[in-house]
Amino acid sequence: MSIFKVEAVKIDVENKIFFENASFDIEEKGVYAILGKSALARTVLAKALVGVIPVKSGYLFYKDIKIDNTKKGRAAKAKLGYIPKECFLNDKMTVFEALDFVGEIRKIPTD
């Protein structure tokens, strides 16, 4: 089962195209890396996957649920998040503690 699925996605920010007609799956089990010359492009992709940046066309799915403005789509999007490089949390927290903290705030159940 795919945890994320990207279908024919176009992402642009301020008229700069970062991805056009991008399609891929990220399986639930595995380790993945996003590689590329541009750190900005990787950040834009990560933000689009969690809904911080809208896609211009195409579709994003989380656990086979289309991320959109339907009730199911909004519920799927609510389970996703993005922590920026310059994190706003206490610098004494571990990554796990920071993610757990954000999950508690957003009322995301732990699986």
Side-chain angles (χ1 to χ4, degrees):
M1 174 180 179
S2 294
I3 193 91
F4 278 110
K5 184 172 186 167
V6 175
E7 284 186 359
V9 164
K10 178 179 181 181
I11 306 169
D12 70 55
V13 178
E14 297 177 3
N15 297 319
K16 181 176 180 180
I17 297 172
F18 286 90
F19 297 92
E20 190 163 24
N21 202 30
S23 296
F24 60 88
D25 291 280
I26 299 174
E27 296 298 319
E28 191 165 2
K29 296 189 183 216
V31 176
Y32 300 90
I34 300 170
L35 304 174
K37 293 180 188 177
S38 171
L40 179 57
R42 293 189 303 267
T43 300
V44 166
L45 178 60
K47 287 182 176 182
L49 287 175
V50 299
V52 174
I53 293 175
V55 298
K56 297 295 179 183
S57 61
Y59 305 99
L60 300 174
F61 296 85
Y62 173 68
K63 293 188 174 179
D64 295 328
I65 300 169
K66 187 163 120 179
I67 298 172
D68 57 17
N69 283 324
T70 64
K71 186 175 181 179
K72 282 178 107 175
R74 287 190 311 271
K77 182 179 171 183
K79 294 180 180 183
L80 306 173
Y82 172 79
I83 298 177
K85 188 174 172 182
E86 294 80 27
C87 190
F88 59 90
L89 300 172
N90 181 330
D91 63 354
K92 293 186 180 9
M93 288 178 142
T94 66
V95 172
F96 179 78
E97 290 168 336
L99 292 172
D100 191 47
F101 176 71
V102 171
E104 283 182 39
I105 290 171
R106 297 184 75 190
K107 296 179 175 49
I108 298 172
T110 57
D111 297 340

